[in-house]
Amino acid sequence: MIENLLNSANSLTATALPLAGFWFREAASENAGDVDFLFNAILWICVFFFVLIVAMMVVFTARYYARPGHSAEHTAHHNNALEATWSIIPLFIVMWIFGAGYWGYMNLRTPPDSAYEVQVIGKKWNWSFVYPNGYIDANLHVPIDEPVKLVMTSDDVIHSVFIPAFRVKMDVVPGRYSKVWFTANKMAPTDDGSGGEDMGGFDLFCTEYCGQQHSSMLAKVIVHESGTFQDWLVEASNWIDKTPPAVAGERLYKERGCAACHSIDGSTKAGPTWKGIYGTEEPLVSGESVTVDENYIRESILNPNAKVRAGFKPVMPSYQGQLKEREIDAIIWYIKSLSGEQAPDAWPDLPAEGEEGGEGEAPTDGEAAATDV
Amino acid sequence: MISQSREHTLLETIHNDPSRRVPVPQGPSYLTTPGAESIWDVVKSWAFTLDHKRIGVMYLVGIMTAFLLGGIMAGFVRMELWDGQPNLLGFLANDGEDPVTRAQDGYNQAFTLHGAIMTFLFIIPSIPGALGNIFLPMMLGAKDVAFPRMNLCSFYLWCFGALFFVGALFTTGLDTGWTFYTPYSTSTNTAVIAATMGVFILGFSSIFTGLNFVVTVNTMRPKGMTWFKMPLFLWGIYSTAIIQILATPVLAITLLLLIAERTLGIGVFDPSRGGDPVLYQHFFWFYSHPAVYIMILPGMAIISEVIPVFCRKHIFGYMFIAYSSVAIALLGFLVWGHHMFTSTESPMAAVIFSALTFSVSIPSAIKVFNWTATMYKGSIVLKTPMLYALSFLFLFTIGGLTGLFLGALSVDVHLHDTYFVVAHFHYVMMGGTLIAFLAGLHYWWPKMFGKMYNEFFASIACLLVFVGFNLTFFPQFILGTQGMPRRYAGYEPEFQSLHQMSTTGFVVLGCGLFLCLGVLIHSLLAGKKAPANPWGSGTLEWKACSPPTHHNFETTPWVGDPYVYDDFVYDPEIEGYVEVLPDLARGEVPAGAESEPSEA
Ligand code: HEM
Ligand SMILES: [Cu+2]
C-alpha cells in the first residue's frame, strides 16, 4: 500500500521534472541566461493571453450555447474603450519584449576586443576550425570562461553555425566574413576532460540548408578547463608527428578538401582518382607522359598546372604555403598506400621540437591574443 | 429589443402570410449544362466557362489535388523522421549508391516538394481561388467578377504552373527547399529552372486573381453597399488582393534573376562573380513575408463571417476588424528582414525589422479579441463550421503568440531555422489558414453544391483534425527550443520520442482529413437537399438558391447590414432559415436599417 503510494509519487516527480525544464538544453555560455530569461518571460505572457482567450471561448460557449428558450442578446456592436485597452496593453508589452530582445542581440553581435579568435570555414559538408597557429581541427575547441570569437566564411553555399548550448547562431556566407562570439562557462556533461579522441562535447549543427548531407554537417564544441587549452593546442598541432604517415595523409585528404575532386574508389571526379595511380605512366595534356612518383605528386600539389593529366582541366588550386612539407609527405604516403605500397608505422626521422612553432604563437589563457593567420 | 417570443412571432407571420417570406428565385443549377448532348459538350462547357462559380469549383478540385500531393510528401517526411537514421526515402534519390546519402537526398526532395506544393499550389491560391471566386461576386449581389475571361485565364495559368511542378517531380526532383536560397539553388543539378518557372507562372495567376477582385469590389458594389457595409470577407479578400498585386511582381523578378544566374551566370547573387547571396534573401522575403499575409488574411476573413452567423450576433468591432486587415496588408510589407536576423544583415536593419514585426502583431491581436467578444451573449450554435472556427481561434492564437518569440531578436537567434519555426508557421498556416478554409468549405458547401453533409461525422472529422494537428506540431516547439535544426534527414536519439509523437499525430490528422473528404463526397452522392439559407446568414450569397443559377440573382438583392439576424427565422419545414419581409405597411423598418444600439 505505502509502497504503491511511494511508487506513484516517484513517477509523478519523474514526469514533473522534465516538465519544468523541458524547453532547453542546459545553458553553457554567459549570454544564455539572458536568452532563457527572455524566452521564459515571453512564455508566461503568452500563457496568460492564451488562457484568457481560451477561457473566454469556453465560458461563452458553455453559457450561451443555443438551446430552446435562449436567444442572443443585442449588445453593443463596438466599444472604443475596450478596443483601445486591448490594443494599448499589448502594445506596451511587445515594446518591452522588443527592447529586451534588442539589448540581448546587440550584445551578441558586439564581440569584445580581447576575444580569442578562431577562424571557421564551412564547406559541403564539414567544418574546419583554424586556430591562430594555423592548426586545423574538425571540432571547435575553446577555453572555458574566456570570450571566443569565430570569424567565419564558406567555400561554397551558405551554412550556419548553431551551438544550442550557447544559444548562438550565425550564417556562414561565401564571399564575406561573419562573426559570432560567446564565453563558454561549462564543460559538456559528456566531456570527460581527457581531451582524447572520444571526448563528448556540445553539439554544433549546420542550420542553413546546404544540400545532400546537410544533416551530417556536425561538429562538437569541446570546452577546455582553465589553463589546459594551450597544452591541448600545442599537442594537437603536432598530431601529425604521432600519426602513421598514411593515416595522417588520409585525414588531410578528408579535411583539406582533396576529397571534393579526387576519389579513392577509382571513379573520376573533377580530378583523377588516387586509387592505384602511384607508379603508373600517365599521358599529359601536352601530349607527353609522366610517371606518377613522389616528385610528380609533390609538384602537382604545389604547382598543379605545370603538368595536367590528359582529359582534365587545369582547375586545381595550388596548395603552396598551405601544406607543410610533412603534410605533403603524409599525402604522398597515403596515395602510395592506395596502390598497395606498405607505409611505415611511424615517421622515420622525428624532427626536433619546435619545428611547427614558427608561425603564430599559441595564446595564453587569460589574455587571449587575436592573431591573424 | 427582442423578446424571446420574437422567433415565434416571426414563424407565425410567415405561416399566416406567406407573402412576407423573402422569395428565393429558383432556376437551373450552375452545375448543370442545359442542352448538352454528349459528355463532350459538358466538358467543353466547363473548360470554356466564364462563370466565376464553375471556375471556383475547378480551382477547388485543383487545389485539393495539390493538397493531397503535398500531404503525401509530408507523409514521407514524417515517416523518415520516425527514427534518427536516414533510411527510408532512398527511392526518391536520383543517383548515388550509399544508402544513407540516397535517403538524405530523398528526404531533401520530399520536404522541398512538400513545402513548395503546399505554399505555391495550395495555400496561396486556396481561399481566394476557390471560395473567393465563388463568393466574392455573390456577396456583392453581382453576376460575375469584373473580368470573367481573365478569371478563366488565371485558372489555366495555375494549371500550367502546377504542371511545371509535377514535371520537376518526375524528372530530377527538386532539393532546394521552397525558399530557393542562392547559391545552393544556382549550383544544384535538380530541376530548379522548371520549378521556378512554375512559381513564376503561378505568380501571374495570383496577380490576375488579385486584380480582378480589386476591380470587382471597387466597381461592382451594389447600391447601398458602402465600403463599411461590406461583409468582412470582402475586406479580407480585398486586402489580400492588394498584396498579391504589389508583392508578386517582386517574386517574379527575383525568380527571373535566379534563372538568368543559373543559365547565363550573370553574377547577381553568386559571390564568386561579384554577386551577393544575401541579396537574394532580401528579394525573396520581400515577397514571401507579405505572402504569408496573402495566406492568412483570407482565412481571417472567413472566420469573420462564420463566427457572427453561428453566434447569431452582430460582429463585434466591425471597423477595427476591417481596418486591421488593411493595416496588416500594409505593415506586412515592412517586416521581411525578420527572416534574416542571423543572415549577417546589419544589426541596425535587424533592430528596425524587429520593431516593425511587433507592430504587425497588434492588428492580429485586435482581430482575435473582437472575434471572442462577438461570442459574448450570443446564441452559439456548435455546427461544424463553428467548430472549425473555434479550432482556428485556439490554433491561430498559439501561432500568433509564438511569433512573439521569433520577433524578439536575441531569442530568435536561438530559434531561427529550428523546429520552433516549423511549428510556428504550421500553427499559423495550417492551424490558421487550412482550418479556416475547412470552416469556409463546410459553411458554404450547401450553397456551392446544394447538398447537406452529415453533421455528426463532419464534427468527428473536425475533432480528429484538431487533436491530430496539436499532437503533430506542439512537440515541434520543444524540439526547436532543444535545438533540433529544420530540414534534417537524421537526428540524435534524444529527439526521437518527440519526433515519434509528431509522426503519430500526423496519422491522426490524416485520418481526420480523409474522414472530412469522405463526408463531403458522401453528401454529393447521398446528401439531403440544402435549403437556400441553412445557417441563417445575412450576406447576399444566401439570397440565391442552393446551388445558384448561372446568373446568381435575377434582380440585385436588397442590401442590409450583413450581420443583423433579427429577420431570419428557422423554418422546420424546409430545415433552413427564412428571411421575413418587414411589414412596411405597419411602419417597421428593416432591421439592418436601424441605427446601431448605442448602449455600451
Ligand atoms: C503575430 C504575428 C506573427 C509574428 C510576430 C511572426 C513572426 C515571425 C518571425 C519573426 C519569423 C522568422 C522566424 C525565423 O525564421 O527565425 C516567422 C516565420 C514565419 N512565419 Fe510568422 N509571425 C507571425 C504570424 C504569421 C502568420 C499569420 C503567418 C502565415 C500565415 C506566418 C508565417 C510564417 C512563415 C511561413 C514563417 C517561416 C518561413 C520559413 O522560414 O520557411 N507568421 N514569423
Ligand atoms: Cu515573416
Side-chain angles (χ1 to χ4, degrees):
Chain A
M1 177 66 202
I2 298 220
E3 215 175 347
N4 268 348
L5 268 179
L6 274 181
N7 270 345
S8 54
N10 262 342
S11 59
L12 255 183
T13 37
T15 41
L17 269 184
L19 265 185
F22 68 87
W23 289 107
F24 285 116
R25 294 178 170 195
E26 198 190 350
S29 75
E30 272 175 10
N31 80 297
D34 294 335
V35 175
D36 294 7
F37 170 77
L38 183 55
F39 180 93
N40 283 314
I42 302 175
L43 182 65
W44 288 113
I45 293 169
C46 288
V47 167
F48 172 78
F49 279 101
F50 178 71
V51 169
L52 182 73
I53 302 249
V54 173
M56 285 202 295
M57 262 165 58
V58 170
V59 169
F60 291 168
T61 311
R63 284 190 57 180
Y64 308 123
Y65 69 92
R67 55 193 183 265
H70 170 80
S71 55
E73 261 178 61
H74 274 201
T75 53
H77 295 174
H78 61 88
N79 180 329
N80 290 343
L82 209 52
E83 301 281 352
T85 316
W86 64 44
S87 312
I88 291 171
I89 294 178
L91 186 65
F92 279 111
I93 294 177
V94 296
M95 277 163 63
W96 178 80
I97 298 177
F98 162 74
Y102 160 78
W103 184 82
Y105 182 78
M106 290 318 272
N107 185 29
L108 267 175
R109 296 214 45 186
T110 347
D113 292 337
S114 64
Y116 179 62
E117 188 173 313
V118 178
Q119 299 225 342
V120 181
I121 298 162
K123 59 169 151 327
K124 291 184 210 165
W125 288 277
N126 60 48
W127 297 104
S128 300
F129 299 93
V130 188
Y131 297 86
N133 66 353
Y135 169 65
I136 298 179
D137 200 289
N139 291 314
L140 175 59
H141 293 257
V142 296
I144 201 166
D145 293 332
E146 256 184 62
V148 173
K149 172 168 84 173
L150 307 182
V151 177
M152 314 187 288
T153 191
S154 163
D155 271 0
D156 38 46
V157 301
I158 303 180
H159 304 278
S160 187
V161 159
F162 175 35
I163 309 171
F166 297 170
R167 316 281 191 264
V168 293
K169 179 182 291 126
M170 181 52 81
D171 285 5
V172 178
V173 182
R176 62 169 77 168
Y177 293 94
S178 54
K179 296 188 190 77
V180 66
W181 79 281
F182 50 81
T183 305
N185 61 9
K186 273 199 197 97
M187 312 213 343
T190 48
D191 191 344
D192 63 0
S194 68
E197 268 302 301
D198 52 349
M199 59 207 149
F202 297 110
D203 288 318
L204 184 152
F205 296 117
C206 175
T207 46
E208 187 61 67
Y209 173 68
C210 58
Q212 191 194 49
Q213 291 166 51
H214 171 52
S215 56
S216 319
M217 191 164 164
L218 310 171
K220 291 284 177 197
V221 183
I222 292 120
V223 180
H224 289 262
E225 257 175 303
S226 111
T228 62
F229 180 74
Q230 257 47 62
D231 302 341
W232 165 80
L233 185 59
V234 171
E235 183 85 343
S237 308
N238 295 332
W239 68 277
I240 198 165
D241 294 342
K242 283 181 245 102
T243 314
V247 178
E250 182 176 8
R251 173 168 162 186
L252 291 165
Y253 165 79
K254 285 183 189 145
E255 285 182 2
R256 293 300 182 84
C258 319
C261 297
H262 299 281
S263 80
I264 51 169
D265 60 4
S267 60
T268 302
K269 293 183 173 178
T273 182
W274 286 0
K275 186 181 178 187
I277 63 165
Y278 177 74
T280 57
E281 174 101 4
E282 300 287 348
L284 295 178
V285 174
S286 62
E288 294 157 36
S289 67
V290 68
T291 309
V292 182
D293 58 6
E294 284 87 343
N295 281 324
Y296 174 66
I297 297 174
R298 186 167 186 282
E299 184 185 46
S300 295
I301 292 172
L302 298 178
N303 187 9
N305 298 337
K307 297 191 184 113
V308 178
R309 285 260 308 266
F312 294 94
K313 297 207 175 68
V315 291
M316 177 164 159
S318 163
Y319 279 81
Q320 182 88 49
Q322 297 186 26
L323 288 172
K324 296 174 200 139
E325 282 304 323
R326 172 134 307 186
E327 294 176 328
I328 294 174
D329 287 347
I331 290 172
I332 292 174
W333 271 117
Y334 178 53
I335 293 177
K336 285 164 84 168
S337 75
L338 292 173
S339 297
E341 296 277 314
Q342 184 62 43
D345 289 339
W347 294 95
D349 55 325
L350 240 143
E353 269 307 298
E355 197 211 55
E356 304 286 337
E359 56 215 281
E361 197 91 336
T364 42
D365 279 4
E367 42 116 20
T371 330
D372 285 340
V373 188
Chain B
M1 196 51 221
I2 302 235
S3 69
Q4 278 197 3
S5 57
R6 162 136 196 170
E7 283 214 358
H8 211 77
T9 329
L10 284 177
L11 202 57
E12 272 181 1
T13 315
I14 52 166
H15 277 228
N16 298 339
D17 180 5
S19 70
R20 293 217 22 213
R21 288 167 174 253
V22 172
V24 179
Q26 298 296 321
S29 151
Y30 73 101
L31 296 163
T32 57
T33 312
E37 274 158 20
S38 64
I39 187 84
W40 177 236
D41 284 350
V42 177
V43 171
K44 248 185 6 198
S45 84
W46 277 83
F48 297 110
T49 185
L50 297 180
D51 183 338
H52 65 103
K53 298 181 292 301
R54 284 186 161 198
I55 296 173
V57 169
M58 292 194 292
Y59 254 121
L60 186 65
V61 174
I63 58 162
M64 293 313 268
T65 315
F67 183 58
L68 182 67
L69 204 61
I72 293 173
M73 292 296 160
F76 285 161
V77 167
R78 285 299 349 150
M79 264 153 48
E80 178 64 83
L81 294 174
W82 180 258
D83 61 21
Q85 259 54 56
N87 48 15
L88 242 149
L89 299 181
F91 67 94
L92 288 173
N94 308 320
D95 48 34
E97 267 141 41
D98 179 43
V100 174
T101 53
R102 278 185 69 87
Q104 288 175 324
D105 238 347
Y107 178 82
N108 294 344
Q109 312 229 2
F111 83 69
T112 299
L113 285 164
H114 163 68
I117 289 174
M118 287 299 196
T119 317
F120 297 114
L121 289 181
F122 173 66
I123 239 180
I124 290 180
S126 63
I127 296 177
L131 300 177
N133 241 324
I134 302 180
F135 294 109
L136 178 127
M138 291 189 71
M139 279 188 171
L140 294 168
K143 289 194 169 127
D144 211 315
V145 290
F147 307 121
R149 282 187 184 75
M150 192 169 170
N151 200 15
L152 184 64
C153 179
S154 137
F155 173 68
Y156 280 117
L157 284 175
W158 182 88
C159 294
F160 203 47
L163 280 182
F164 273 85
F165 259 97
V166 180
L169 190 72
F170 286 109
T171 53
T172 54
L174 182 67
D175 72 340
T176 58
W178 74 282
T179 46
F180 300 109
Y181 271 18
T182 55
Y184 186 71
S185 58
T186 47
S187 59
T188 172
N189 55 10
T190 53
V192 174
I193 293 190
T196 43
M197 270 315 283
V199 177
F200 184 80
I201 295 166
L202 289 165
F204 277 96
S205 161
S206 187
I207 294 173
F208 282 10
T209 305
L211 208 60
N212 221 334
F213 287 176
V214 167
V215 176
T216 307
V217 171
N218 272 337
T219 61
M220 296 174 68
R221 268 176 294 121
K223 224 187 174 137
M225 190 186 283
T226 55
W227 283 97
F228 292 105
K229 280 197 169 166
M230 277 192 337
L232 287 165
F233 183 73
L234 297 182
W235 272 100
I237 298 285
Y238 189 83
S239 317
T240 310
I242 289 180
I243 315 180
Q244 284 175 304
I245 297 171
L246 294 180
T248 318
V250 179
L251 178 71
I253 292 166
T254 311
L255 296 177
L256 276 187
L257 285 173
L258 187 69
I259 292 172
E261 176 102 13
R262 265 187 81 100
T263 50
L264 309 173
I266 54 173
V268 178
F269 305 127
D270 179 356
S272 68
R273 296 188 170 92
D276 179 357
V278 179
L279 180 65
Y280 173 85
Q281 296 175 26
H282 280 290
F283 281 176
F284 180 82
W285 290 111
F286 189 91
Y287 164 76
S288 290
H289 185 79
V292 309
Y293 293 110
I294 296 181
M295 303 172 204
I296 193 66
L297 279 171
M300 295 167 152
I302 289 177
I303 299 305
S304 304
E305 295 302 321
V306 170
I307 289 189
V309 169
F310 289 88
C311 294
R312 315 303 301 143
K313 257 204 81 209
H314 196 287
I315 187 88
F316 190 81
Y318 175 97
M319 293 286 254
F320 288 89
I321 297 184
Y323 277 128
S324 65
S325 293
V326 181
I328 289 176
L330 299 180
L331 289 172
F333 274 101
L334 306 176
V335 304
W336 77 90
H338 68 207
H339 297 269
M340 301 171 59
F341 290 153
T342 68
S343 72
T344 75
E345 80 182 342
S346 76
M348 174 64 120
V351 167
I352 293 171
F353 283 125
S354 168
L356 288 167
T357 297
F358 283 113
S359 74
V360 195
S361 63
I362 301 298
S364 312
I366 290 179
K367 282 188 195 270
V368 172
F369 285 125
N370 279 303
W371 290 323
T372 318
T374 304
M375 294 170 68
Y376 177 64
K377 293 200 171 170
S379 174
I380 298 166
V381 186
L382 290 177
K383 291 273 170 64
T384 313
M386 184 62 180
L387 293 179
Y388 278 112
L390 292 175
S391 311
F392 173 95
L393 272 184
F394 186 99
L395 302 174
F396 180 75
T397 302
I398 297 182
L401 287 172
T402 50
L404 300 181
F405 295 88
L406 300 174
L409 284 164
S410 60
V411 178
D412 182 65
V413 166
H414 179 67
L415 299 176
H416 174 68
D417 268 348
T418 66
Y419 266 77
F420 194 92
V421 174
V422 176
H424 159 70
F425 67 73
H426 280 92
Y427 264 86
V428 276
M429 287 171 33
M430 190 160 184
T433 309
L434 177 76
I435 297 289
F437 174 72
L438 290 174
L441 197 63
H442 285 84
Y443 174 57
W444 280 306
W445 190 262
K447 178 59 63 187
M448 284 191 275
F449 298 108
K451 291 293 170 67
M452 298 304 289
Y453 46 82
N454 182 309
E455 193 59 52
F456 175 73
F457 284 105
S459 5
I460 297 287
C462 174
L463 190 72
L464 282 177
V465 169
F466 179 77
V467 171
F469 178 87
N470 282 298
L471 189 56
T472 310
F473 292 106
F474 199 84
Q476 298 187 358
F477 283 122
I478 305 170
L479 280 172
T481 51
Q482 288 281 343
M484 168 84 203
R486 66 193 282 206
R487 298 176 170 178
Y488 262 34
Y491 52 81
E492 287 157 48
E494 56 175 296
F495 296 126
Q496 181 155 342
S497 54
L498 288 167
H499 270 301
Q500 294 190 343
M501 244 191 250
S502 184
T503 302
T504 312
F506 175 82
V507 175
V508 179
L509 180 58
C511 292
L513 288 170
F514 274 114
L515 180 58
C516 165
L517 181 71
V519 169
L520 292 180
I521 289 180
H522 172 264
S523 84
L524 291 183
L525 303 176
K528 257 200 238 150
K529 187 172 166 14
N533 194 348
W535 325 116
S537 321
T539 39
L540 298 187
E541 76 273 26
W542 300 99
K543 297 192 198 298
C545 52
S546 299
T549 63
H550 267 300
H551 295 299
N552 304 339
F553 308 98
E554 296 313 309
T555 52
T556 311
W558 186 82
V559 177
D561 186 321
Y563 300 111
V564 169
Y565 305 110
D566 294 342
D567 293 333
F568 293 89
V569 62
Y570 185 74
D571 181 355
E573 265 172 40
I574 57 166
E575 298 188 26
Y577 281 77
V578 174
E579 189 177 3
V580 183
L581 269 181
D583 188 354
L584 296 172
R586 272 180 295 161
E588 264 185 47
V589 275
E594 278 170 29
S595 59
E596 290 183 343
S598 52
E599 87 272 25

